[in-house]
Amino acid sequence: MAIRNAFYAQSGGVTAVINASACGVIQTARKHPDQIGKVFAGRNGIIGALKEELIDTSLESDDDIQALIHTPGGAFGSCRHKLKNFSENRREYERLIEVFRAHDIGYFFYNGGGDSQDTAYKVSQLAEKMGYPITCIGVPKTVDNDLPFTDCCPGFGSVAKYIATSTLEASLDIRSMCETSTKVFILEVMGRHAGWIAASGGLAGKGEGEPPHIILFPEVPFERERFLERVDFCVREYGYCVVVASEGAQYEDGRFLADAGAKDAFGHTQLGGVAPALANMVRQALGHKYHWAVADYLQRSARHIASATDVEQAYAVGKVAVEMALAGKQALMPTIVREQSRPYRWHIGEAPLSEVANQEKKMPIHYITDDGYGITQDCRDYLEPLIYGESFPPFDDGLPRVAKLKNQLVEKKLKAEFKI
């Protein structure tokens, strides 16, 4: 078998553990020099391939690659750029082939969520549609936990741990001051169409009256009056009310509470502001003193409190992606298969990219309590193993140590520049 180079790229919103997947890909590829030459990383995702901006990871030391395991963010840069269909934008596919051929790239590993798996699937079709042989494997990643066929998504467990912990800690703060200060606290979390992250806040409390008192899921239509009644009841009954709200909370007609009136690069409605919108409702209708917070990027970059389970799974899908490619498999995505919850056991499976692409896995209805404001025991049993274990990074002078890569680009071989 001829030795060919590999291309790896990160796509979409990054996570606390996406670099662990990168580490899994690069370290595994280095163990097979008889099949894989160099691993080139796309600078800023698929854009790096289109612009022929390829990072030569062979110039990074083994220690620096190992340090990726405890480094958040996207070490090589990420992007939100979705390839259109062949018929709509053939020039991008022709450009990819030019770059891949120029640098003898025969393996493609794309690390991302649903839209990214769609890109990976389209690239896998290059051999059939445009006569260029390339082995393509998608590497799962998304904090939203909404990829189908996999029990959970690398990146989610660490966000879940952060949100559950933050909900617990903030609730203690609010409870201690509620007699004379804040009565209502609202935490806005990510989750456009699926309420997995919001659900994780529910792990903070188990008994009656323990916060969060209200969880707002995208899967449950928002009812203003019922919400306000519940807030007021909690304040009167417990002295305070803690709300965890998904950014994708929406009315029955599908309107988002936090529709910002714009679209992102993938064509999705730009969201932001559900917490202040809810706080304003509380102020106008009830007059309770409130505070709100938006977890935003903090929830997906909090590597200091990452779930050990999540780190292990993120590395595993990167490792197995390379092993799949070397075994001649094509257009697949490694999945996490749960064997049992207590004690937690799992293994890596696989799913076809053609079925994964552009699909969303929402919260099962039996994971949400009948009143629509909490999680059931089934949901708790599902979530708890995903936040198990601590994987603290090393610290220097009180701050986490992170990888500092050279990220040196290889020399371009194509003369023509390409505009996105």
Side-chain angles (χ1 to χ4, degrees):
M1 180 182 292
I3 299 174
R4 303 188 72 193
N5 298 319
F7 176 85
Y8 165 82
Q10 300 170 324
S11 176
V14 294
T15 79
V17 300
I18 189 173
N19 289 329
S21 294
C23 181
V25 168
I26 296 169
Q27 287 186 340
T28 307
R30 287 183 175 186
K31 293 178 181 179
H32 298 275
D34 57 328
Q35 293 173 276
I36 298 178
K38 292 185 175 183
V39 175
F40 297 129
R43 182 166 139 183
N44 301 324
I46 195 69
I47 290 176
L50 293 169
K51 290 186 173 183
E52 199 188 359
E53 294 179 346
L54 309 179
I55 296 167
D56 187 351
T57 68
S58 71
L59 301 178
E60 312 293 348
S61 70
D62 289 341
D63 287 344
D64 285 339
I65 294 301
Q66 178 66 26
L68 289 174
I69 287 181
H70 54 75
T71 301
F76 308 108
S78 185
C79 72
R80 295 189 186 277
H81 181 79
K82 187 173 181 178
L83 294 178
K84 295 180 180 179
N85 294 325
F86 290 93
S87 58
E88 296 179 74
N89 199 347
R90 186 181 180 92
R91 62 184 281 272
E92 287 195 337
Y93 295 94
E94 291 174 342
R95 173 64 174 186
L96 287 178
I97 291 177
E98 288 178 354
V99 173
F100 291 164
R101 182 173 285 122
H103 296 274
D104 194 22
I105 293 171
Y107 302 96
F108 181 93
F109 304 103
Y110 209 44
N111 201 172
D115 289 306
S116 305
Q117 301 308 319
D118 176 69
T119 294
Y121 177 58
K122 288 171 179 172
V123 171
S124 74
Q125 296 177 300
L126 288 177
E128 177 184 347
K129 292 185 177 292
M130 307 191 75
Y132 184 80
I134 188 165
T135 300
C136 182
I137 303 292
V139 184
K141 173 268 342 172
T142 174
V143 297
D144 291 329
N145 199 40
D146 59 358
L147 284 172
F149 302 107
T150 184
D151 176 71
C152 60
C153 303
F156 170 69
S158 295
V159 168
K161 191 179 185 79
Y162 177 86
I163 293 302
T165 302
S166 298
T167 301
L168 172 62
E169 294 176 339
S171 295
L172 293 173
D173 184 301
I174 302 303
R175 187 178 70 181
S176 66
M177 296 292 291
C178 66
E179 181 67 24
T180 58
S181 186
T182 301
K183 304 286 188 185
V184 180
F185 175 68
I186 302 165
L187 177 62
E188 177 180 328
V189 304
M190 289 179 174
R192 178 181 304 276
H193 297 129
W196 296 104
I197 298 178
S200 67
L203 295 176
K206 296 181 180 180
E208 173 64 29
E210 293 185 4
H213 306 101
I214 300 173
I215 303 175
L216 297 181
F217 305 95
E219 293 87 349
V220 179
F222 177 76
E223 299 177 48
R224 183 179 184 277
E225 294 309 315
R226 199 165 74 87
F227 165 73
L228 292 170
E229 288 175 6
R230 174 65 179 167
V231 170
D232 200 39
F233 168 82
C234 291
V235 170
R236 287 185 281 104
E237 189 74 12
Y238 313 121
Y240 67 114
C241 180
V242 173
V243 181
V244 177
S246 168
E247 65 180 352
Q250 54 191 282
Y251 295 100
E252 190 169 11
D253 62 5
R255 287 181 299 119
F256 290 106
L257 272 69
D259 188 339
K263 302 287 184 180
D264 67 14
F266 284 143
H268 303 310
T269 299
Q270 190 75 44
L271 301 181
V274 69
L278 292 168
N280 193 48
M281 292 181 194
V282 169
R283 179 184 63 81
Q284 291 181 341
L286 304 175
H288 295 312
K289 185 173 182 180
Y290 63 84
H291 272 275
W292 55 267
V294 181
D296 202 47
Y297 285 7
L298 299 178
Q299 65 200 297
R300 74 183 197 199
S301 61
R303 179 59 184 81
H304 66 285
I305 196 172
S307 152
T309 297
D310 194 26
V311 175
E312 183 181 356
Q313 292 178 338
Y315 184 90
V317 295
K319 174 179 179 288
V320 173
V322 175
E323 293 172 346
M324 283 181 172
L326 295 179
K329 295 185 177 182
Q330 172 72 304
L332 296 175
M333 182 190 78
T335 61
I336 296 164
V337 180
R338 183 181 301 225
E339 298 172 9
Q340 63 181 50
S341 295
R342 300 178 187 276
Y344 183 48
R345 291 203 189 100
W346 57 277
H347 66 269
I348 298 294
E350 59 187 45
L353 288 176
S354 59
E355 297 182 29
V356 173
N358 298 313
Q359 300 299 315
E360 287 182 317
K361 178 179 69 177
K362 296 188 177 183
M363 288 267 294
I365 193 65
H366 68 279
Y367 278 13
I368 302 173
T369 53
D370 291 342
D371 65 3
Y373 288 146
I375 61 172
T376 63
Q377 187 59 48
D378 283 348
C379 185
R380 188 176 297 277
D381 291 342
Y382 167 78
L383 290 172
E384 283 181 343
L386 305 183
I387 70 169
Y388 283 170
E390 286 65 56
S391 179
F392 299 119
F395 282 75
D396 292 325
D397 299 323
L399 291 175
R401 185 190 311 160
V402 297
K404 295 182 180 179
L405 305 182
K406 301 180 184 70
N407 279 355
Q408 185 171 321
L409 299 178
V410 302
E411 185 176 348
K412 291 187 177 183
K413 298 184 177 182
L414 302 176
K415 294 181 180 180
E417 294 291 328
F418 189 85
K419 293 184 179 181
I420 305 299

